[in-house]
Amino acid sequence: MNLLQYKTIVLKIGSSLIVDSKNKIKKNWFTKLIEDILFLHKHKKKVIIVSSGAIALGCDLLKINKKNVKLSQFQAIAAVGQIELINLFKKFFEKKKIKISQILLTLDDTEERRRSLNAKETINNLLKMSVMPIVNENDTVGTSEIRYGDNDRLAARVAQICNADCLIMLSDVNGLYSQDPKKNQFAKIIKKVEKIDKKIENLATKSISAYGTGGMITKIKAAKICMQSGCDMILTNGSINNPIKNIAKNKNFTLFKAKSSSLNAKKQWILNSLSTKGSISIDDGAEKALLNGKSLLPIGVTAVEGTFKRGDAIYIINSKKKKLQPEFQRTLVKMLKKLKDLKQIKLKKY
Ligand code: GLU
């Protein structure tokens, strides 16, 4: 596997890699990880880190057992642990004279177009100044309905927003297995996935996914976001020393190969939005027009479902009650004066 083919690499680091089973920092592993990042820098690769660990480090500092904690407590614990996490990166990167930055994102920051563009701009400016961007979810203000909860999908969305061409997901699993490796000795790592279909989704059953916050299910969701955005995703076990350099030698990983995407950045962003606020149904004429690249006019809208406002992503359903094919499946509401009056809805062509 040649990682040097990529230009911009997002590196997702799971909590379990940073700390051992006793919540103690794995210093040697950290030093080796930084070596790997320097190797990528030496080859002019842009690197963005998405790292978990705020809650694990917060629990350690406050001597709290993670198992007994409610979400509201997690928010407070993350506020403590995020300082530990970023200081840890600072300490290790400083030794190599690399400056770091902290970017805390909420779900809204990636799901609202303007805010996602701001995040992209900030990350790009940091990269231009040779500062390492280190992203995490802003766990302190996230409630259950408005948070990612897992950094897998956050990392994929960051990769998509920043036009990265590779997301390396360093996890505590070797890759996606054909069966549960704990139960079946013949389980094999699937080397390459080119399409995420029901068969692949079914592999991420609960039994194979008892790893990390999101498990395999969110890893597959993350892969889907990446693949639809022209970004390859590599899922590998990051717990070994020099986890990135090892991808080249080690055959234990799954490559989720992106299709070359014909969609522009904005369409990719809409397609991968995590929260759709409703749907509109359209007639056959409107569907035909849309598939031919024309705008959707209010006259073709037959029904509206959900409550949405300007800027929200919504699904488009055809007369057979099916979502339109992925690239036409969603649209952004441009202007919405009165929900009840269909004639007042102006939908933006995308
Ligand atoms: N944002 C969480 C943290 O820093 C981690 C979420 C996850 O495990 O993916 O602790």
Side-chain angles (χ1 to χ4, degrees):
M1 180 75 204
N2 177 18
L3 289 178
L4 300 183
Q5 63 182 297
Y6 300 113
K7 290 195 182 86
T8 305
I9 299 174
V10 174
L11 203 57
K12 190 260 168 180
I13 303 169
S15 311
S16 63
L17 302 179
I18 294 175
V19 290
D20 61 20
S21 54
K22 292 192 183 110
N23 259 3
K24 291 286 165 249
I25 290 144
K26 288 155 67 180
K27 290 190 183 143
N28 193 34
W29 179 86
F30 236 103
T31 310
K32 299 285 180 192
L33 174 80
I34 308 287
E35 266 179 34
D36 279 6
I37 293 172
L38 289 176
F39 165 80
L40 294 175
H41 280 169
K42 203 178 114 199
H43 287 90
K44 308 262 176 289
K45 307 298 161 195
K46 292 180 187 165
V47 182
I48 301 161
I49 293 178
V50 176
S51 180
S52 310
I55 294 172
L57 294 175
C59 282
D60 183 45
L61 194 82
L62 299 167
K63 309 256 171 299
I64 292 172
N65 184 346
K66 196 177 167 187
K67 287 191 185 108
N68 313 322
V69 176
K70 290 195 224 104
L71 177 65
S72 54
Q73 274 173 298
F74 273 137
Q75 295 175 321
I77 292 168
V80 176
Q82 182 61 30
I83 302 176
E84 297 299 296
L85 180 66
I86 211 70
N87 273 336
L88 191 62
F89 278 106
K90 187 162 187 272
K91 191 173 125 194
F92 282 94
F93 274 115
E94 232 165 34
K95 286 186 193 159
K96 301 288 174 190
K97 304 205 172 357
I98 295 178
K99 295 184 182 68
I100 64 155
S101 57
Q102 168 182 267
I103 299 148
L104 297 178
L105 297 176
T106 60
L107 186 68
D108 282 349
D109 292 326
T110 60
E111 300 313 285
E112 224 181 78
R113 182 80 183 139
R114 196 180 46 81
R115 284 162 74 168
S116 77
L117 290 174
N118 278 343
K120 175 185 180 173
E121 175 90 357
T122 303
I123 292 174
N124 277 343
N125 282 333
L126 288 164
L127 290 170
K128 274 187 207 148
M129 297 188 290
S130 301
V131 175
M132 171 62 73
I134 303 176
V135 183
N136 194 3
E137 181 165 17
N138 194 346
D139 294 312
T140 299
V141 291
T143 62
S144 52
E145 315 82 64
I146 55 155
R147 75 196 276 263
Y148 277 91
D150 65 89
N151 276 4
D152 298 334
R153 290 171 308 149
L154 171 68
R157 204 65 168 132
V158 167
Q160 181 261 307
I161 288 167
C162 296
N163 301 117
D165 45 2
C166 180
L167 165 61
I168 301 178
M169 182 131 345
L170 296 178
S171 171
D172 52 3
V173 277
N174 293 331
L176 177 67
Y177 278 91
S178 57
Q179 287 160 69
D180 188 343
K182 285 188 181 151
K183 290 189 183 151
N184 194 322
Q185 53 165 323
F186 299 111
K188 284 201 180 97
I189 293 176
I190 301 173
K191 300 266 179 251
K192 194 173 182 184
V193 175
E194 285 181 280
K195 190 171 180 233
I196 299 201
D197 50 19
K198 275 270 163 296
K199 225 168 95 195
I200 295 291
E201 276 169 355
N202 288 342
L203 289 176
T205 56
K206 280 218 164 63
S207 56
I208 326 182
S209 67
Y211 320 92
T213 306
M216 195 55 79
I217 293 172
T218 51
K219 292 186 175 51
I220 297 288
K221 286 185 179 163
K224 210 169 181 175
I225 296 174
C226 287
M227 289 163 82
Q228 287 181 152
S229 314
C231 174
D232 287 353
M233 184 180 113
I234 299 169
L235 173 63
T236 191
N237 194 331
S239 55
I240 43 177
N241 281 344
N242 295 106
I244 299 166
K245 278 190 187 157
N246 259 298
I247 294 172
K249 301 182 210 151
N250 183 353
K251 295 194 172 65
N252 284 346
F253 60 80
T254 301
L255 168 67
F256 294 86
K257 186 82 194 132
K259 342 178 192 138
S260 55
S261 178
S262 56
L263 301 179
N264 65 27
K266 185 168 185 186
K267 286 180 184 174
Q268 286 177 7
W269 179 84
I270 298 173
L271 178 61
N272 290 303
S273 54
L274 300 180
S275 48
T276 31
K277 297 282 164 55
S279 65
I280 51 164
S281 301
I282 58 169
D283 62 21
D284 293 344
E287 180 178 3
K288 206 170 147 202
L290 209 57
L291 298 184
N292 282 328
K294 304 233 167 65
S295 287
L296 184 58
L297 301 173
I299 193 131
V301 177
T302 53
V304 180
E305 207 207 298
T307 310
F308 38 85
K309 57 182 187 334
R310 186 179 168 182
D312 286 343
I314 55 171
Y315 279 114
I316 304 176
I317 315 278
N318 68 13
S319 63
K320 295 177 192 74
K321 301 213 180 324
K322 287 241 162 36
K323 283 177 197 162
L324 262 57
Q325 62 198 72
E327 55 270 49
F328 297 104
Q329 197 172 83
R330 300 177 194 191
T331 190
L332 264 194
V333 179
K334 189 182 180 191
M335 195 194 279
L336 204 61
K337 284 184 184 154
K338 285 181 204 157
L339 261 179
K340 280 181 200 151
D341 187 349
L342 287 182
K343 296 269 181 288
Q344 296 280 340
I345 303 173
K346 284 193 187 151
L347 292 157
K348 192 171 185 176
K349 171 186 163 192
Y350 98 99

